[in-house]
Amino acid sequence: MNLEDTLTERPKLIQEVAILLKKIIQKNFPDLEEHVYGNKIFTVLYSKENPTQVVCGIQTSEKHCLLFLHKTGEVDTNGLTLEGKGKSAKHVKFRLPKEIDEKVLTCVLSQIYDKV
């Protein structure tokens, strides 16, 4: 199972957001492995070397796509609006593909990648 398999019942725009996020992750970090967890609500995590070294994750709902970022307390988020109460992992909420700034996202993910 992969990210695309988890999107079949999601609105078209949410599918586009999730797939765009995955493309950015794979383009810039081709060695990250994709792992899918869950039954009805799926979380897709991208890990370095083994499943416990999570860099980021994607989770979708009917209204938005969450990009989970790990090690957020240790990086410059370059203006990304982080949400959540996690000590070291927070998320960014996207509703439309145009909300995604690939350059900023790649910069933040690079910092996380180096810390994992």
Side-chain angles (χ1 to χ4, degrees), residues 44-104:
V44 181
L45 299 179
Y46 295 90
S47 305
K48 184 176 167 180
E49 296 176 14
N50 71 62
T52 63
Q53 294 179 290
V54 177
V55 173
C56 61
I58 298 171
Q59 186 180 69
T60 61
S61 73
E62 291 296 314
K63 297 181 180 182
H64 55 261
C65 182
L66 299 179
L67 176 67
F68 289 94
L69 301 171
H70 289 245
K71 308 268 186 205
T72 56
E74 303 173 26
V75 300
D76 176 0
T77 59
N78 291 297
L80 283 178
T81 303
L82 300 180
E83 298 180 31
K85 297 180 181 178
K87 189 173 187 176
S88 66
K90 299 202 183 308
H91 64 270
V92 182
K93 208 178 272 187
F94 297 105
R95 290 176 181 83
L96 300 167
K98 69 180 182 179
E99 296 174 339
I100 300 169
D101 184 326
E102 182 174 353
K103 185 176 177 181
V104 169

Side-chain angles (χ1 to χ4, degrees), residues 1-2 6 33-47 50-54 56 58-59:
M1 180 174 254
N2 61 27
T6 71
E33 298 175 7
E34 182 179 82
H35 303 277
V36 179
Y37 300 92
N39 291 321
K40 291 185 179 184
I41 298 175
F42 295 99
T43 301
V44 181
L45 299 179
Y46 295 90
S47 305
N50 71 62
T52 63
Q53 294 179 290
V54 177
C56 61
I58 298 171
Q59 186 180 69

